């Protein structure tokens, strides 16, 4: 058990001291102190019901904890999204089980909603006696009225009506319940119109049913990888970020958790990035979960068709996210303001989106997915756009807030779009100029090798032409089969990235802002995804022992619950950025699969699918 320690001087739990629960529509972060400090329902990108993680005074929370808390620990019920927090107080111990309830028998791989629109918190005293605090405080306040079986709360800020019920009478949404050893209480919070029966005797059964839904889904995860326990947990975490109704996958469940304490690199990640979602479905397919790829491809192309163009990111309905605004009321996590809602990157130009979707469609078809005539027509249109898009500046994978540049990664993903379109047309006898697409893909690979190379740095650089800085996104080129990992210029680039962008202990910065202006010009933490990319490159270069050692080091950066942050502060290993971060889990899964196959004697560049051979 980890000792309970006082919160930092600013009064906030560390980011890593939180677990994620959800139902494929909305989700919540549960702290090791028994408080739900961030929660968005009925969908991921809704105005937060609780966000004390961004302001402990004004953000609102849902506390279920004993008085005089001294120690705590958390764990997930194995292979599920159900979280257990053990809370040790002066007088006794309480076990709190938190779950977003799922319908009995639901199948998470289907697009039918599995959630009931209900959060259950079940507290049981395992030793001694406690005074259990129940404190439901939505952000912006709520009007509460007693109803049969509990309380009805109207939350004007969220335009949401809540129903609070419990197995014991509650004197109000904020009250104290004395409990002795062996006694328990469940508290249910509902936001759907459906009403659950008061004093239901089957609460344990409903939680067990929810566990069963998760276990049936996670049973499909392959088990022959290094750190199979973390692989299963990463798969479940990514599924918690998957909007089950349509295949959208949000980048993270939170907004404005800072990439540097005291800085203003604070962004809203509760939306579906084309890039992040494509990486996610690719990772899930590689560990035995292919169904999410088809849902994502249809969602992304439907969103693009609706507007007549392809955006960088969308809300979970496939529409433009809200305009980015600063919330002047909230002070930010550990006083790191500003807090932002919405994301201005939605208006940026990023050419990598063509390759992300074509690659995802390729993976989908390669594992038996069907491409209808209409779907293929739209995919072929994206390939045609990629033929010329790479020649014009864009804002790149890191979404710089400066003028556009001809980023190498963006050009590489246009190469991916052309290559995958050619392979699909050839393999499936689909209409389109496969010969031209393949020829131009080869030509673009050559331009990248030549135009992005800097003799002085002995490395590829961030953009085509002179003057580019070093960028860790170059490590992704072998992963997307633009260059082989053992190409001499890729080997040299890997060495340069590790040396010049290294932050110590296996960590890497994305780039150096003083050399690669991004419009922010502030420090940030080390970006965890980039280090997993380094693992894959080392393995592809035959440096398997080094890759395995780095992989194990990176696994130590997971939280006690097995969750990965976006960034790590190299000075103290604390978590930074929105959490848990889909891309970090994707990078981990990719490295686990690459190492598993390398250790079985399969060359990494041949391990994706026979369609590449």
């Amino acid at each position: 058990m980890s000792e309970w320690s006082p919160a930092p001087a600013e009064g906030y739990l560390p980011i890593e001291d939180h677990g994620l629960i959800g139902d494929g529509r909305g989700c919540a972060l549960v702290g090791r102190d028994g408080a739900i400090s961030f929660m968005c329902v009925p969908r991921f990108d809704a105005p937060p019901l609780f966000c004390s993680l961004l302001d402990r005074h004004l953000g609102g929370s849902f506390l279920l904890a004993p008085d005089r808390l001294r120690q705590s620990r958390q764990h997930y019920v194995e292979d599920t999204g159900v979280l257990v927090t053990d809370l040790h107080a002066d007088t006794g111990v309480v076990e709190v089980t938190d779950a977003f309830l799922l319908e009995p028998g639901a199948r998470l791989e289907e697009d039918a909603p599995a959630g009931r629109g209900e959060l259950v918190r079940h507290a049981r005293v395992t030793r001694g006696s406690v005074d259990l605090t129940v404190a439901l405080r939505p952000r912006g306040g709520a009007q509460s009225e007693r109803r049969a079986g509990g309380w009805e709360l109207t939350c004007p800020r969220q335009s949401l009506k809540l129903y609070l019920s419990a197995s014991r009478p509650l004197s109000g949404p904020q009250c104290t319940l004395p409990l002795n050893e062996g006694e328990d209480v469940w508290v249910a919070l509902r936001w759907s119109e459906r009403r659950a029966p008061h004093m239901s005797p089957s609460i344990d059964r409903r939680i067990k049913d929810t566990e069963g839904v998760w276990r049936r889904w996670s049973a499909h995860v392959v088990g022959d990888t290094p750190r199979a326990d973390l692989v299963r947990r990463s798969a479940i975490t990514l599924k918690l970020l998957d909007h089950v109704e349509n295949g959208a996958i949000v980048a993270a469940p939170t907004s404005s958790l800072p990439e540097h304490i005291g800085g203003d690199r604070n962004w809203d990640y509760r939306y579906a990035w084309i890039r992040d979602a494509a990486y996610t479905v690719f990772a899930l397919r590689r560990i035995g979960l292919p169904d999410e790829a088809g849902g994502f491809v249809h969602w992304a192309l439907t969103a693009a068709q609706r507007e007549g163009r392809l955006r960088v990111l969308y809300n979970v309905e496939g529409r433009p996210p809200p305009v980015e605004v600063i919330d002047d009321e909230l002070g930010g996590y550990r006083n790191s303001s500003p807090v932002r809602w919405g994301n201005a990157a939605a208006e940026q130009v990023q050419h990598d989106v063509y390759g992300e979707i074509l690659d995802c469609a390729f993976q989908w078809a390669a594992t038996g997915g069907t491409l209808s005539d209409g779907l293929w027509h739209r995919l072929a249109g994206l390939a045609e756009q990629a033929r010329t898009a790479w020649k014009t500046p864009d804002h790149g994978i890191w979404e710089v807030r400066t003028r556009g540049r001809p980023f190498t990664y963006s050009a590489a993903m246009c190469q991916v779009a052309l290559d995958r379109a050619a392979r699909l047309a050839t393999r499936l006898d689909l209409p389109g100029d496969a010969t031209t697409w393949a020829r131009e893909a080869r030509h673009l690979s050559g331009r990248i090798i030549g135009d992005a190379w800097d003799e002085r740095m002995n490395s590829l650089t961030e953009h085509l032409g002179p003057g580019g800085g070093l960028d860790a996104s170059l490590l992704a080129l072998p992963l997307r089969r633009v260059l082989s990992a053992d190409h001499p210029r890729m080997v040299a680039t890997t060495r340069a990235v590790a040396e010049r962008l290294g932050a110590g202990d296996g960590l890497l910065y994305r780039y150096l802002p003083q050399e690669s202006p991004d419009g922010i010009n502030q420090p940030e933490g080390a970006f965890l995804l980039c280090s997993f990319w380094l693992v894959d490159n080392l393995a592809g270069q035959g440096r398997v022992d080094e890759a395995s050692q780095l992989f194990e080091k990176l696994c130590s950066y997971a939280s006690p619950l097995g969750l990965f942050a976006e960034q790590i502060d190299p000075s103290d290993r604390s978590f930074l950025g929105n959490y848990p971060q889909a891309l970090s889990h994707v990078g981990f899964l990719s490295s686990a699969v690459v190492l598993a196959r390398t250790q079985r004697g399969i060359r990494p560049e041949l391990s994706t699918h026979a369609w590449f051979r």
Side-chain angles (χ1 to χ4, degrees):
M1 175 185 298
S2 54
E3 291 289 326
W4 178 262
S5 58
E10 298 90 344
Y12 293 88
L13 277 182
I15 294 171
E16 52 266 37
D17 282 349
H18 296 82
L20 178 69
I21 57 175
D23 63 359
R25 284 176 162 178
C27 59
L29 290 186
V30 184
R32 206 159 56 88
D33 57 355
I36 293 179
S37 58
F38 200 95
M39 176 168 161
C40 294
V41 292
R43 40 186 260 186
F44 297 110
D45 53 4
L49 184 61
F50 313 120
C51 59
S52 61
L53 196 58
L54 299 178
D55 192 303
R56 64 191 182 95
H57 300 294
L58 301 176
S61 65
F62 185 6
L63 179 67
L64 193 66
D67 291 344
R68 298 188 297 279
L69 184 61
R70 297 179 61 86
Q71 296 175 323
S72 70
R73 63 181 177 185
Q74 288 182 309
H75 69 274
Y76 281 105
V77 177
E78 187 175 5
D79 295 340
T80 78
V82 177
L83 183 65
V84 178
T85 307
D86 294 317
L87 300 160
H88 290 234
D90 286 345
T91 58
V93 180
V94 182
E95 179 187 83
V96 177
T97 301
D98 285 300
F100 276 54
L101 294 182
L102 304 178
E103 294 286 0
R107 293 176 56 84
L108 293 178
E109 58 268 40
E110 297 176 353
D111 59 3
R116 296 171 53 92
E118 183 173 8
L119 163 69
V120 166
R121 314 199 69 189
H122 181 214
R124 179 173 60 91
V125 179
T126 60
R127 189 171 74 240
S129 60
V130 301
D131 289 330
L132 187 73
T133 297
V134 179
L136 178 67
R137 300 185 180 95
R139 184 192 178 190
Q143 299 174 343
S144 60
E145 296 184 57
R146 189 183 291 274
R147 292 284 186 258
W151 293 83
E152 181 180 283
L153 292 87
T154 301
C155 307
R157 187 165 204 134
Q158 297 82 8
S159 301
L160 198 61
K161 195 176 291 291
L162 305 174
Y163 305 95
L164 180 67
S165 58
S167 57
R168 295 170 181 261
L170 301 177
S171 60
Q174 301 174 37
C175 60
T176 299
L177 300 174
L179 296 174
N180 296 316
E181 186 170 330
E183 293 182 331
D184 70 340
V185 61
W186 60 258
V187 182
L189 182 66
R190 302 186 307 280
W191 48 93
S192 67
E193 292 300 321
R194 176 184 0 194
R195 303 229 182 171
H198 178 52
M199 297 292 286
S200 167
S202 59
I203 190 64
D204 286 335
R205 180 71 265 157
R206 292 165 68 192
I207 292 176
K208 292 297 182 186
D209 287 340
T210 297
E211 294 172 3
V213 172
W214 279 111
R215 287 199 175 104
R216 282 192 295 275
W217 181 82
S218 61
H220 297 288
V221 177
V222 297
D224 56 344
T225 63
R227 296 305 303 268
D229 57 332
L230 276 180
V231 167
R232 289 193 301 275
R233 179 51 50 197
S234 286
I236 291 169
T237 302
L238 292 174
K239 193 61 180 175
L240 283 166
L241 302 178
D242 180 8
H243 190 61
V244 295
E245 293 185 32
N246 58 15
I249 300 172
V250 298
T254 56
S255 175
S256 300
L257 291 180
E259 298 172 11
H260 175 71
I261 301 301
D264 58 8
R265 291 182 182 270
N266 313 326
W267 316 111
D268 190 351
Y269 277 12
R270 301 169 304 134
Y271 306 108
W273 268 253
I274 296 295
R275 175 192 317 112
D276 297 41
Y279 267 114
T280 299
V281 297
F282 176 62
L284 291 177
R285 185 194 68 80
R286 297 180 81 188
I287 59 169
L289 302 167
D291 294 322
E292 284 71 16
F296 164 72
V297 171
H298 284 85
W299 169 82
L301 291 178
T302 299
Q305 186 178 41
R306 185 180 292 119
E307 287 192 275
R309 72 182 182 102
L310 190 59
R311 287 182 178 268
V312 176
L313 67 125
Y314 298 88
N315 70 11
V316 295
E317 289 183 329
R319 300 182 183 278
V323 174
E324 183 178 299
V325 297
I326 291 176
D327 191 328
D328 293 325
E329 182 178 276
L330 301 180
Y333 174 76
R334 293 181 58 187
N335 302 317
S336 295
S337 60
V339 170
R340 291 182 172 92
W341 308 114
N343 199 302
E347 300 301 324
Q348 289 188 351
V349 175
Q350 296 177 28
H351 299 322
D352 68 303
V353 293
Y354 304 114
E356 309 294 0
I357 292 183
L358 263 298
D359 194 37
C360 192
F362 177 84
Q363 302 297 334
W364 166 243
T367 50
T370 301
L371 300 180
S372 66
D373 291 343
L375 181 59
W376 170 245
H377 176 75
R378 285 179 279 168
L379 290 169
L382 294 181
E384 284 297 313
Q385 293 177 54
R387 291 177 62 181
T388 56
W390 68 271
K391 301 176 183 179
T392 60
D394 75 338
H395 293 89
I397 182 176
W398 307 130
E399 300 174 351
V400 299
R401 299 202 171 194
T402 61
R403 294 179 62 183
R405 305 198 285 276
F407 283 103
T408 303
Y409 181 85
S410 300
M413 292 310 297
C414 288
Q415 189 274 351
V416 169
L418 293 164
D419 176 82
R420 304 312 188 263
R423 292 178 187 276
L424 283 169
T426 301
R427 282 274 180 176
L428 301 178
D429 194 24
L430 297 169
D433 194 350
T435 301
T436 299
W437 289 336
R439 183 179 65 249
E440 295 197 5
R442 291 191 297 272
H443 169 73
L444 189 44
S445 292
R447 291 292 300 270
I448 290 168
I449 293 171
D451 293 355
W453 181 255
D454 187 301
E455 289 287 352
R456 179 181 55 85
M457 287 197 291
N458 194 36
S459 173
L460 297 170
T461 64
E462 65 182 344
H463 60 68
L464 306 182
L470 203 56
D471 190 329
S473 69
L474 298 165
L475 297 177
L477 301 190
L479 281 63
R480 311 313 289 270
R481 305 183 67 89
V482 178
L483 300 177
S484 64
D486 58 1
H487 187 287
R489 292 197 167 180
M490 199 63 235
V491 172
T493 299
T494 301
R495 184 184 306 112
V497 168
E499 291 175 356
R500 297 189 57 188
L501 298 183
D505 271 345
L507 297 172
L508 294 176
Y509 295 111
R510 295 184 292 178
Y511 52 86
L512 302 178
Q514 63 270 28
E515 296 180 5
S516 303
D518 60 5
I520 307 297
N521 197 31
Q522 291 183 3
E524 64 174 0
F527 206 82
L528 202 53
L529 171 65
C530 300
S531 292
F532 285 117
W533 283 345
L534 180 56
V535 171
D536 296 355
N537 276 265
L538 293 174
Q541 294 166 16
R543 300 159 65 182
V544 179
D545 289 342
E546 292 177 68
S548 298
Q549 291 170 9
L550 177 57
F551 178 77
E552 288 301 323
K553 169 63 72 174
L554 298 177
C555 288
S556 74
Y557 291 112
S559 78
L561 290 171
L563 307 184
F564 287 109
E566 178 184 25
Q567 299 185 16
I568 301 292
D569 186 333
S571 67
D572 61 7
R573 298 173 57 104
S574 62
F575 284 15
L576 294 170
N578 286 304
Y579 166 87
Q581 174 69 217
L583 280 181
S584 297
H585 285 275
V586 165
F588 162 77
L589 290 176
S590 174
S591 294
V593 171
V594 164
L595 287 175
R597 292 176 173 176
T598 301
Q599 291 163 3
R600 294 200 300 270
I602 303 174
R603 290 168 55 195
E605 67 270 23
L606 297 180
S607 64
T608 40
H609 201 276
W611 279 25
F612 277 113
R613 301 177 191 172

